[in-house]
Amino acid sequence: MDDPRHSGVLLRRFRDADAGMAVELSRDSYVPTTGTLPAHASHEEALAWVERQRQRHCEGTGFSFAIADAGTSRCLGQIGLWTRELNSGRAQAGYAVIPRERGRRIAARALQALLHFAWTIPELHRVELYIEPWNTASVRSADHAGFQREGLLRSHQEIAGVRRDMLLYAAIGNRPV
């Protein structure tokens, strides 16, 4: 299968050279609180994170892609499709775009590419996003990518040691994006 793409955004396998993007993401005040990327990561820590992304499918947890510019292949962020609930027909998506590339609908286009890929998985019928209510940029990305808001999940998950409410967005099987 070809690398998923949509409107100038390519989802591809991570490369060691993407560690610079990971270092940049690690300097964001929010991104390191939501995953395994350490805050203010060194180059070595960023390389280790890149390697963990390459191993996600082998571990059976899902698919992690570098979000890249389709013309240059320059890494702009990360997006994942987490398949722990695949036996129930569900997966969750998560993404992060480096700060200097935000505001250009990269996340929305990456989500659309991810959905094109997701619907090739026969068992998958639903892709969910969990977004903190304050994160209006992520809400816009979900809306632009064709996800529908389904509700507010109160005290849904812990982020940075605090229970957080999350908006639930979903895309339902094979809907055009």
Side-chain angles (χ1 to χ4, degrees), residues 21-54:
M21 178 281 303
V23 167
E24 191 170 342
L25 268 183
S26 79
R27 293 181 182 139
D28 183 86
S29 62
Y30 182 69
V31 171
T33 67
T34 63
T36 64
L37 180 63
H40 305 285
S42 67
H43 183 74
E44 292 75 25
E45 290 170 321
L47 273 174
W49 180 84
V50 164
E51 183 56 30
R52 285 193 300 277
Q53 301 319 298
R54 288 193 285 242

Side-chain angles (χ1 to χ4, degrees), residues 1 4 12 17 20 49 77 83 95 107 110 115 124-125 136 140 148-149 157 164 166 168 175:
M1 175 178 194
R12 62 162 171 76
W49 180 84
T83 57
Y95 50 87
L115 286 178
L124 190 58
H125 303 282
T136 57
R140 280 192 306 272
Q148 300 293 310
R149 181 179 170 168
Q157 71 189 72
R164 306 289 179 139
M166 301 299 274
L168 173 60
R175 265 208 259 178

Side-chain angles (χ1 to χ4, degrees), residues 89-91 111 115 118-119 124-129 142 145-150 168-177:
R90 291 189 302 269
L111 279 168
L115 286 178
W119 302 142
L124 190 58
H125 303 282
R126 176 183 174 86
V127 177
E128 298 173 337
L129 292 173
F147 282 76
Q148 300 293 310
R149 181 179 170 168
E150 294 187 343
L168 173 60
Y169 277 76
I172 305 301
N174 296 321
R175 265 208 259 178
V177 292

Side-chain angles (χ1 to χ4, degrees), residues 17-154:
D18 299 332
M21 178 281 303
V23 167
E24 191 170 342
L25 268 183
S26 79
R27 293 181 182 139
D28 183 86
S29 62
Y30 182 69
V31 171
T33 67
T34 63
T36 64
L37 180 63
H40 305 285
S42 67
H43 183 74
E44 292 75 25
E45 290 170 321
L47 273 174
W49 180 84
V50 164
E51 183 56 30
R52 285 193 300 277
Q53 301 319 298
R54 288 193 285 242
Q55 296 303 314
R56 298 296 186 210
H57 183 63
C58 297
E59 296 167 351
T61 57
F63 303 87
S64 185
F65 297 99
I67 301 171
D69 178 284
T72 65
S73 202
R74 184 173 60 86
C75 191
L76 310 171
Q78 179 272 341
I79 193 165
L81 183 69
W82 313 119
T83 57
R84 289 178 208 94
E85 296 183 75
L86 188 57
N87 63 342
S88 297
R90 291 189 302 269
Q92 292 76 41
Y95 50 87
V97 174
I98 55 176
R100 65 186 156 95
E101 296 292 343
R102 293 176 185 164
R104 301 185 324 132
R105 294 198 177 161
I106 291 167
R109 291 183 280 149
L111 279 168
Q112 289 172 307
L114 187 72
L115 286 178
H116 291 301
F117 168 76
W119 302 142
T120 68
I121 302 170
E123 304 88 352
L124 190 58
H125 303 282
R126 176 183 174 86
V127 177
E128 298 173 337
L129 292 173
Y130 297 95
I131 303 169
E132 287 192 73
W134 62 262
N135 194 340
T136 57
S138 198
V139 166
R140 280 192 306 272
S141 294
D143 287 338
H144 287 300
F147 282 76
Q148 300 293 310
R149 181 179 170 168
E150 294 187 343
L152 175 69
L153 304 172
R154 295 176 53 217

